Amino acid sequence: MIRPIVKMPLMLQRAAEPAGPQDVEVGHDLLDTLAVHRSECVGMAANMIGVNKRAIVFAEGDGARVMFNPEIVRQSQPFDAEEGCLSLEGTRPARRYKKIAVRYQDFDFAWKEESFTGWTAQIIQHEIDHTKGILI
Ligand SMILES: [Zn+2]
């Protein structure tokens, strides 16, 4: 289901609750909603579509992937980025890392750990910040 984008900072500045198997539909909603905003947006967190659960989606190649309860377990090579956000106007500076390792649950709620670099790593960091109520 395509959901409206939340733009009220107060709604976006709360840390999200852990997601569970009952939240699988949120993952599908994130995929559907990102798909319609894909020209202007490369990732989303569930609180941006009004669901205060720890779930994110990010563009990857021609498709997109969902992570539940993602957390960064390692990071290296910091750099200063300039980022935009579908929920905010304009761009803002953010400190990011070129390499990260993320622990997360997939659609079957199996725990996985995976490394990411570059642009994909940057998107994931932005979306994980959203799950903590952190805006750029
Ligand atoms: Zn954002």
Side-chain angles (χ1 to χ4, degrees):
M1 187 168 67
I2 299 161
R3 291 173 174 265
I5 303 298
V6 173
K7 300 200 174 186
M8 287 173 290
L10 277 177
M11 296 284 293
L12 297 170
Q13 285 171 338
R14 295 182 302 172
E17 304 284 331
Q22 74 279 7
D23 298 311
V24 162
E25 206 51 46
V26 177
H28 292 293
D29 291 351
L30 282 168
L31 287 167
D32 293 346
T33 308
L34 178 64
V36 300
H37 290 282
R38 189 61 188 82
S39 63
E40 51 180 340
C41 178
V42 289
M44 275 178 196
N47 53 3
M48 292 173 68
I49 58 168
V51 180
N52 204 34
K53 293 294 179 89
R54 288 173 54 202
I56 67 169
V57 65
F58 57 94
E60 190 177 54
D62 291 334
R65 272 170 71 183
V66 169
M67 290 177 172
F68 294 98
N69 302 310
E71 54 184 317
I72 293 167
V73 292
R74 282 186 300 284
Q75 57 191 24
S76 60
Q77 299 178 27
F79 68 103
D80 290 312
E82 186 79 17
E83 296 181 351
C85 177
L86 194 59
S87 289
L88 303 170
E89 298 290 330
T91 61
R92 302 180 189 190
R95 169 56 59 99
R96 298 299 182 206
Y97 295 84
K98 286 182 181 160
K99 297 175 76 170
I100 59 171
V102 183
R103 194 170 125 81
Y104 67 95
Q105 285 171 290
D106 63 13
F107 262 109
D108 296 321
F109 279 81
W111 282 104
K112 298 192 169 173
E113 190 178 309
E114 195 173 335
S115 295
F116 296 90
T117 58
W119 180 227
T120 306
Q122 189 177 348
I123 301 167
I124 293 170
Q125 288 168 82
H126 180 108
E127 304 313 333
I128 288 179
D129 273 357
H130 272 296
T131 70
K132 297 173 181 173
I134 298 169
L135 297 172
I136 52 170

